[in-house]
Amino acid sequence: MVTADIEQAVFDLVESYNGRSLFTLRRFKLRHDTDLNKDFRMDPLDAYDLMEQFAEKFDIEPSDINFTYYFPDYGDAPEPLTIQLLIDSAIAGKWLGKK
């Protein structure tokens, strides 16, 4: 896959979880620096599902992704899980974030 195609595929995958706001009926504006936890406020179950799909689609070893690091049970995540991290990992063919 070409880099631009990978980038678009990652955005498309995340967009599939981007529902309309209950109050404004608008979708969240996705950017490279969007943090799926803090900015996007993704439900952890949906985020887990997204990460499973991401790993399968881009042939990333799922066990290399430390999901609870980015979506801890309590408190804030030490680092953001950004769309750019997903893109970079997809291009590299391996997880580049916290293992």
Side-chain angles (χ1 to χ4, degrees), residues 42-76:
M42 196 166 201
D43 178 81
L45 293 175
D46 287 341
Y48 191 85
D49 185 52
L50 178 138
M51 294 307 291
E52 282 184 326
Q53 289 183 43
F54 169 78
E56 184 177 323
K57 181 174 187 88
F58 297 104
D59 200 27
I60 306 291
E61 177 57 46
S63 64
D64 287 346
I65 302 170
N66 183 350
F67 182 78
T68 57
Y69 181 76
Y70 299 100
F71 282 85
D73 289 335
Y74 301 101
D76 293 330

Side-chain angles (χ1 to χ4, degrees), residues 2-14:
V2 179
T3 300
D5 294 339
I6 292 173
E7 183 175 333
Q8 187 60 53
V10 170
F11 270 100
D12 289 347
L13 178 62
V14 176

Side-chain angles (χ1 to χ4, degrees), residues 4-98:
D5 294 339
I6 292 173
E7 183 175 333
Q8 187 60 53
V10 170
F11 270 100
D12 289 347
L13 178 62
V14 176
E15 184 64 41
S16 70
Y17 288 88
N18 193 6
R20 295 187 183 279
S21 166
L22 184 62
F23 300 108
T24 65
L25 299 178
R26 294 184 183 160
R27 293 182 188 272
F28 186 85
K29 174 88 168 121
L30 298 176
R31 299 182 324 256
H32 287 88
D33 64 345
T34 297
D35 178 350
L36 298 182
N37 189 349
K38 197 169 193 174
D39 299 330
F40 197 50
R41 298 178 188 230
M42 196 166 201
D43 178 81
L45 293 175
D46 287 341
Y48 191 85
D49 185 52
L50 178 138
M51 294 307 291
E52 282 184 326
Q53 289 183 43
F54 169 78
E56 184 177 323
K57 181 174 187 88
F58 297 104
D59 200 27
I60 306 291
E61 177 57 46
S63 64
D64 287 346
I65 302 170
N66 183 350
F67 182 78
T68 57
Y69 181 76
Y70 299 100
F71 282 85
D73 289 335
Y74 301 101
D76 293 330
E79 292 178 38
L81 176 57
T82 63
I83 292 175
Q84 188 62 54
L85 176 57
L86 298 178
I87 292 168
D88 293 343
S89 295
I91 290 168
K94 64 181 181 178
W95 184 245
L96 298 177
K98 178 73 174 173

